[in-house]
Amino acid sequence: MPDPLAPLLEGYAEDRLRLPFCEKCGKPHLYPRARCPHCGNASLAWREASGRGSLASWSVVHRAPSPDFAAEVPYTVALVRLEEGPQLMTRVVDAPEEALRLGLPLTLRFATMPGGERRPVFAPEGVSA
Amino acid sequence: MSGLRDAAIVGIGESRLGRVPGMTALDLQREAAEAALADAGLSFADVDGLLTTPVRTESWAMPCGMVAQEFGLHPRYIATLDVAGASGCSMVAHAAAALATGQASTVLCVAGQPGLSHHGRDSMVKTLAGAGWAHPDLEAPYGPLVPTLYALVAQRHMREYGTTAEQLAEVAVAMRGWAAMNPNAQKREPISIADVLASPMVTSPLHVLDCALVSDGAVAVIVTGKDRARDLKQRPITPLGAGHGFSHGYIGEYQALTSTASADAGRAAFAQAGVTPGDIQVAQLYDCFTITVIVELEDLGFCAKGEGGAFVQGGRIGPGGALPVTTHGGLLSAGHPGLAGGMFHVVEAVRQLRGDAGSRQVDGAELALVHGNGGIIGLHCSLVLGRL
Ligand SMILES: [Zn+2]
């Protein structure tokens, strides 16, 4: 069995956020699984996400979980609901905590995490990188 | 038909809790197991069933084997149970199932580890951060602490329902109020809502005092058949209902966030017991973070969804409150030695139902709910216990 995560992580390495859409029921899902969690179908087609989403929750981290993160605190870990429906963990960048609210419209960008991973992060709409 | 009611909790025991230097996991578990056996008037020779949990302070491939070997047991029923923080409640349900199916006559449930002495708080926080609670590829790279994963629930609850930081703090204050009356509790000095809010912010909206302790300790419970229980030292306490609930492995993909499968666990346990939340005099709710208690109060049916914050205000779940909750002081103030943490809630429920809880005794405690929560609020077990 191929790793169901591989297409997502390969996309991340190219600054692309692609979602697995079920070829039977048509719904996308995250986190990636070998079968569609909505209907159990195993054939999935990976398509580019719009990059638009809304803020579902967040937490500003003040204590680093490991020395890798010590230089970055405080940073905002967030849950973002993508326009297509699925939700993912990410960070919100370029936004003070006071500006955050549920449903805040966000747009995708990519950033390198302290461990070296290239990962999707989100910024408020209209804030340029 | 309920084979569950044919079981009885007949012995409870705690090791010293908090910072207990120089003790291995097995030392602590022995201290708890011997206390539970003495409480019941039994010895290791009477035990033919063993349940335990994994520990994070030893490199054990086979925890139940390590514990059986230490105690010189050759049980005909033996297992390592892991439903994360729900393990304490779940062990009682599994022990009753073993009795009902004739696989054992007396089951020792025991768990514990020297989490504080082995790791220290900072090291344990790092160990937990890397323990797989956050998805290794899709969450951990962003740098969440385990408390961050619960903070996401707390933040959403506050924004969605208007729950306040003061209301979260009420939970911590209540736990400390109970712990002050528990001689074995790790933290006993009183705290105020202002103290909680002034404690360092770990991961917003959770302060240090919104988060569980890291502790050394172990805990044990003896479950045997009702017939046998009548001849033992203590008033038997009966499991009347048990239920589990599961919703998600990783919080990142869980869109409901503030509504948990504790509702499923509670519904099943209450239905089997034939009682409702209104019949419960004391609720031992898993309190890894202050938000956990508020969400459980809602999902278990003690108040409506979104009203948990208002529910806990004014000392309502603390000493002298209308609904005494987690009366030993819980993970927030009594102690949290890993997967054993939630089993102290079981032990305290038994004490309350026996009428043995000393200065923290709840008057007229006849029915208790015990609830364990595991993972990132995704895995649950509820028990209804009664004085039958
Ligand atoms: Zn499908």
Side-chain angles (χ1 to χ4, degrees):
Chain A
M1 284 291 286
D3 179 359
L5 243 55
L8 186 72
L9 297 180
E10 286 160 13
Y12 285 175
E14 301 169 359
D15 287 7
R16 296 171 67 195
L17 174 55
R18 295 177 302 161
L19 302 176
F21 284 79
C22 175
E23 295 199 291
K24 189 168 163 206
C25 76
K27 292 178 186 163
H29 73 269
L30 283 179
Y31 299 155
R33 303 210 198 311
R35 290 174 175 272
C36 169
H38 306 292
C39 76
N41 174 48
S43 66
L44 305 168
W46 288 80
R47 293 207 293 272
E48 210 79 22
S50 72
R52 285 186 295 272
S54 62
L55 188 57
S57 194
W58 70 92
S59 175
V60 178
V61 180
H62 293 270
R63 290 196 179 181
S66 73
D68 280 353
F69 292 90
E72 299 223 329
V73 289
Y75 51 83
T76 304
V77 171
L79 299 180
V80 169
R81 175 111 191 248
L82 300 176
E83 187 176 61
E84 291 83 357
Q87 176 177 287
L88 47 67
M89 187 172 289
T90 183
R91 280 195 194 176
V92 169
V93 299
D94 287 346
E97 189 168 19
E98 311 79 68
L100 303 180
R101 59 179 170 82
L102 292 188
L104 181 71
L106 299 165
T107 54
L108 173 69
R109 37 172 110 157
F110 274 82
T112 302
M113 293 298 119
E117 308 90 346
R118 198 75 181 158
R119 286 293 180 271
V121 300
F122 286 79
E125 262 179 9
V127 177
S128 56
Chain B
M1 182 202 94
S2 176
L4 193 63
R5 288 172 190 241
D6 297 327
I9 300 174
V10 295
I12 53 175
E14 295 180 2
S15 75
R16 289 162 289 162
L17 184 57
R19 185 177 286 283
V20 190
M23 299 283 279
T24 65
L26 290 174
D27 293 336
L28 290 164
Q29 291 194 27
R30 176 180 283 281
E31 197 168 296
E34 287 179 347
L37 288 165
D39 179 62
L42 294 169
S43 71
F44 281 120
D46 299 303
V47 172
D48 62 357
L50 175 68
L51 287 172
T52 190
T53 70
V55 299
R56 296 204 183 282
T57 57
E58 319 281 340
S59 303
W60 289 345
M62 186 174 63
C64 61
M66 297 299 107
V67 174
Q69 180 173 272
E70 167 71 13
F71 297 160
L73 295 174
H74 300 280
R76 61 189 172 108
Y77 174 79
I78 176 168
T80 304
L81 185 76
D82 185 358
V83 285
S87 298
C89 285
S90 191
M91 278 197 279
V92 173
H94 280 79
L99 300 175
T101 52
Q103 298 181 79
S105 64
T106 299
V107 181
L108 166 63
C109 307
V110 61
Q113 64 181 18
L116 182 58
S117 292
H118 184 88
H119 281 286
R121 186 176 173 99
D122 288 349
S123 163
M124 185 55 111
V125 165
K126 290 187 186 99
T127 299
L128 287 172
W133 299 118
H135 190 293
D137 295 304
L138 304 183
E139 298 182 342
Y142 295 107
L145 300 154
V146 169
T148 306
L149 306 174
Y150 277 84
L152 294 165
V153 175
Q155 186 80 259
R156 174 73 164 261
H157 202 279
M158 292 172 81
R159 303 287 167 158
E160 198 167 354
Y161 300 115
T163 306
T164 65
E166 289 78 7
Q167 291 169 338
L168 292 175
E170 281 266 9
V171 175
V173 171
M175 293 308 105
R176 190 61 62 89
W178 289 118
M181 294 185 275
N182 175 3
N184 204 24
Q186 184 171 344
K187 296 281 187 186
R188 302 183 60 201
E189 64 283 7
I191 55 171
S192 64
I193 290 174
D195 291 333
V196 179
L197 300 183
S199 69
M201 187 68 83
V202 176
T203 179
S204 70
L206 300 180
H207 307 80
V208 167
L209 290 176
D210 287 297
C211 302
L213 302 170
V214 172
S215 315
D216 304 331
V219 57
V221 166
I222 314 285
V223 184
T224 192
K226 186 60 71 56
D227 290 350
R228 179 133 204 246
R230 292 188 222 289
D231 303 325
L232 297 178
K233 275 169 67 180
Q234 306 292 347
R235 174 203 278 266
I237 300 302
T238 307
L240 300 172
H244 291 77
F246 173 75
S247 56
H248 62 277
Y250 297 113
I251 197 70
E253 56 185 322
Y254 187 57
Q255 297 197 7
L257 271 178
T258 53
S259 291
T260 73
S262 53
D264 300 324
R267 197 178 302 115
F270 283 125
Q272 189 178 19
V275 303
T276 68
D279 298 320
I280 299 293
Q281 288 85 36
V282 58
Q284 305 294 344
L285 305 184
Y286 198 85
D287 58 317
C288 50
F289 298 94
T290 50
I291 184 60
T292 315
V293 173
I294 286 176
V295 169
E296 287 167 343
L297 285 166
E298 296 169 352
D299 289 339
L300 292 167
F302 291 101
C303 61
K305 180 47 67 184
E307 294 177 6
F311 186 90
V312 302
Q313 272 186 293
R316 190 150 175 197
I317 64 171
L323 180 68
V325 169
T326 312
T327 55
H328 59 302
L331 310 169
L332 287 164
S333 281
H336 190 10
L339 295 192
M343 205 167 162
F344 286 84
H345 297 63
V346 175
V347 163
E348 176 69 4
V350 170
R351 265 194 219 105
Q352 288 286 355
L353 294 171
R354 285 179 181 174
D356 285 350
S359 58
R360 55 186 196 278
Q361 180 64 45
V362 173
D363 288 340
E366 294 190 3
L367 280 173
L369 180 81
V370 192
H371 186 82
N373 154 56
I376 311 304
I377 215 157
L379 184 55
H380 299 267
C381 183
S382 297
L383 285 179
V384 176
L385 301 180
R387 195 164 67 175
L388 285 182

